[in-house]
Amino acid sequence: MDRIAVFPGSFDPITLGHESIVRRALSLFDQVVVAIGVNANKKYYFDLEQRKTLIEETFADTDRVKVDTYQGLTINYCQSIGARFILRGLRSGIDFEYEKAIGQMNHALNHDIETYFLLTLPEHAAINSTIVRDILRNGGEARQFLPASIHSI
Ligand code: ADP
């Protein structure tokens, strides 16, 4: 049975930090699905199609990374595609506390799905999509925080 992991998030936009977590996870899983969670009440900087295209361009070199969108609970989405793993990245103690609660609650909801956490590389620890958006919105240079294949955004 294929080991499929879902990497859920909003990816507004995908950053070098996300890319690194996904590529490192390819040694653990056969396939990683980067899954954009759709929340109708949330305002995004990049629309869903743009975010999806940027992720596809980032991983155009491998067929082991897929991109998808979903609504509702992550564990239900995992079940619907036969994924037994959720992948998350940890940058800090704050990420850890937040992710711990989600991971434990997801496990309570479905014992068959395990969450795997990868520590960010030190050079990516400060990168987050919110700050990247602020830089882009204000005409700053965000390239050093973005995957090489999407430097043109
Ligand atoms: P959310 O909207 O749920 O915060 P994000 O798209 O920001 O989702 O992040 C998705 C996942 O990527 C989360 O597990 C988050 O911790 C992780 N992540 C975000 N930025 C980085 C980074 N620089 N290094 C490692 N992991 C990261």
Side-chain angles (χ1 to χ4, degrees), residues 77-96:
Y77 170 70
C78 290
Q79 218 165 7
S80 75
I81 64 162
R84 289 178 296 130
F85 307 96
I86 295 172
L87 172 66
R88 298 291 283 178
L90 295 177
R91 286 164 291 190
S92 64
I94 295 170
D95 271 359
F96 172 74

Side-chain angles (χ1 to χ4, degrees), residues 7-11 15 17-18 21 42 88-91 95 99 120 124-125 127-129:
F7 186 46
S10 32
F11 307 104
T15 67
H18 296 127
I21 295 287
K42 212 166 148 184
R88 298 291 283 178
L90 295 177
R91 286 164 291 190
D95 271 359
E99 296 292 343
T120 189
H124 296 151
I127 303 178
N128 82 60
S129 295

Side-chain angles (χ1 to χ4, degrees), residues 16 132 135-136 140-148 150-153:
L16 267 187
V132 168
I135 296 170
L136 292 171
E141 178 53 77
R143 261 187 241 179
Q144 62 181 305
F145 310 120
L146 298 171
I150 62 164
H151 273 181
S152 56
I153 64 170

Side-chain angles (χ1 to χ4, degrees), residues 106-134:
N106 276 339
H107 192 260
L109 291 171
N110 188 329
H111 297 334
D112 298 327
I113 297 176
E114 291 288 356
T115 305
Y116 276 49
F117 300 99
L118 289 185
L119 292 177
T120 189
L121 299 180
E123 61 267 37
H124 296 151
I127 303 178
N128 82 60
S129 295
T130 307
I131 301 176
V132 168
R133 284 198 298 279
D134 275 345

